[in-house]
Amino acid sequence: MAEQYFKTFIEHLRETIELTTSDIDKILDVVEIVKLKRKEFLLTPDQPSRHMRFIAEGSARSYYLDENSQEHTLQIGIENWWINDLYSFLTQKDSQMYIQAIESAVILQISQSNLEKLYREVPEVSTFFRIKIQNAYVALQERMIENLSAEVYIRYQKFIKDYRDIEQRVPQYIVASYLGVTPEFLSYLKKKHL
């Protein structure tokens, strides 16, 4: 089964960069497999994020708890998506987030030290992550502007249009948390617009 996860991972990388057989061997030599049960945590606050993480199977989310213990989902991911506390990874400061499996999940991860090694030995990997980080920044800015300017129901419609595969697999309370509303309010909006 690990071979299938590795194949999926390499295919994902090849969507953005070209890799030789030697490059692939170097990459797979440093990839770790982590299997999570439903609701199991991959990262918790007060520990630094030391890996880049790729979802090979299942789904996961990142969220933080505010001072009132209210959950705020920042990211939801399914197969072929990356999930991480990028701030913690880049600064090596303790995370403020949880990363939790929504469904049973298989995560492929590369430690920061091994990633630095790959940047030197397989420069295309550096190109891949530069592009991923740029795209993540653009998506974050778009989401912030959308959250400030669009009504909740418009944001919900965009979410289900853009992420149909996710909306079908994720509990409504997580979708509500991602949109910044309570599950009850999201339920009310859905009924109101039927």
Side-chain angles (χ1 to χ4, degrees):
M1 198 63 166
E3 285 183 26
Q4 182 57 44
Y5 300 137
F6 291 147
K7 182 179 181 223
T8 299
F9 181 60
I10 294 303
E11 287 171 0
H12 175 75
L13 295 175
R14 282 185 156 161
E15 290 173 6
T16 306
I17 58 174
E18 292 184 23
L19 296 170
T20 66
T21 303
S22 172
D23 294 339
I24 292 168
D25 291 341
K26 289 174 186 172
I27 293 166
L28 295 182
D29 192 44
V30 298
V31 172
E32 305 165 34
I33 296 177
V34 178
K35 294 184 178 184
L36 299 172
K37 295 176 185 163
R38 183 176 171 271
K39 294 195 173 190
E40 188 174 357
F41 291 98
L42 183 62
L43 180 70
T44 57
D46 302 323
Q47 65 183 95
S49 177
R50 299 190 190 281
H51 299 84
M52 288 300 286
R53 298 176 171 100
F54 175 79
I55 304 171
E57 183 176 279
S59 61
R61 70 175 176 142
S62 66
Y63 70 94
Y64 79 97
L65 294 177
D66 66 19
E67 62 279 352
N68 298 318
S69 297
Q70 181 74 31
E71 291 182 7
H72 299 274
T73 299
L74 302 172
Q75 186 180 9
I76 301 170
I78 58 172
E79 295 87 2
N80 292 326
W81 289 37
W82 292 83
I83 193 158
N84 205 1
D85 179 343
L86 195 55
Y87 176 82
S88 175
F89 179 81
L90 293 173
T91 64
Q92 283 304 285
K93 293 182 178 178
D94 287 346
S95 178
Q96 296 179 32
M97 289 192 238
Y98 295 87
I99 296 178
Q100 181 184 40
I102 298 170
E103 306 166 319
S104 295
V106 177
I107 308 294
L108 302 184
Q109 62 182 25
I110 303 173
S111 71
Q112 191 170 40
S113 59
N114 281 327
L115 195 56
E116 290 295 331
K117 179 180 167 189
L118 284 176
Y119 288 164
R120 291 187 300 276
E121 294 178 4
V122 185
E124 292 80 5
V125 171
S126 179
T127 299
F128 176 85
F129 281 104
R130 177 182 51 81
I131 291 167
K132 284 293 174 191
I133 290 170
Q134 287 172 343
N135 290 343
Y137 180 79
V138 168
L140 175 65
Q141 186 169 329
E142 286 176 348
R143 184 167 171 218
M144 286 176 58
I145 291 170
E146 185 178 284
N147 283 349
L148 293 171
S149 61
E151 292 180 14
V152 176
Y153 190 71
I154 302 292
R155 295 195 327 254
Y156 173 68
Q157 287 180 310
K158 183 176 182 334
F159 178 85
I160 59 174
K161 177 180 171 260
D162 293 347
Y163 306 117
R164 170 66 60 194
D165 293 340
I166 292 176
E167 200 256 343
Q168 300 299 321
R169 294 169 60 180
V170 173
Q172 181 170 305
Y173 79 92
I174 292 176
V175 174
S177 172
Y178 182 83
L179 295 171
V181 298
T182 65
E184 296 79 14
F185 187 69
L186 180 57
S187 193
Y188 162 77
L189 283 177
K190 288 165 76 173
K191 286 177 187 169
K192 178 181 171 188
H193 290 89
L194 283 178

